[in-house]
Amino acid sequence: ILDPLADKMLILAAFLGLMMLGRASAWAVYLILVREFFITGFRVVMASDGVEVAASMAGKVKTVSQMFAVGFLLMSWPGGELLLWIAVALTLYSGFEYIFAYVKAMKKS
């Protein structure tokens, strides 16, 4: 639990810093922030219900896309804002995957 949490805190700190510098959309950062905290808490609920949902490929792609977005935005390279919104879309998609996996697991039990 601590390793993914540390990754999330590092990425979120970078996005918040970029937002404060005016390099990242506040809405994009807000959506990523809300999803990350919601899913982190949701995973605790899933664990308390005995449901283990492994990290999906979408979650891994989400993390990579966020890192690329941070890198591009830090360097002020063209396409950084586009990568940020791609990261937002992947972030939300992977969040919905966790919710659907939980519902599926609960229907089985």
Side-chain angles (χ1 to χ4, degrees):
I1 289 177
L2 291 179
D3 183 49
L5 187 60
D7 292 344
K8 287 177 187 1
M9 292 299 114
L10 181 64
I11 291 292
L12 292 175
F15 279 132
L16 288 171
L18 288 164
M19 182 188 71
M20 296 302 290
L21 292 172
R23 293 187 187 177
S25 164
W27 276 107
V29 172
Y30 173 76
L31 290 171
I32 290 172
L33 185 80
V34 167
R35 182 271 185 201
E36 295 295 354
F37 283 126
F38 176 77
I39 294 299
T40 300
F42 192 62
R43 289 184 79 170
V44 172
V45 170
M46 290 189 298
S48 70
D49 286 344
V51 177
E52 185 175 326
V53 179
S56 67
M57 182 56 77
K60 294 174 190 297
V61 171
K62 174 226 31 142
T63 302
V64 170
S65 71
Q66 288 177 349
M67 290 180 183
F68 270 103
V70 166
F72 271 66
L73 291 167
L74 276 173
M75 301 300 290
S76 296
W77 288 346
E81 190 74 15
L82 175 63
L83 286 174
L84 174 61
W85 285 105
I86 290 170
V88 168
L90 291 170
T91 299
L92 295 175
Y93 173 78
S94 69
F96 286 120
E97 271 195 344
Y98 277 108
I99 294 168
F100 292 135
Y102 176 74
V103 169
K104 184 178 177 181
M106 293 309 288
K107 283 183 180 179
K108 284 184 179 178
S109 59

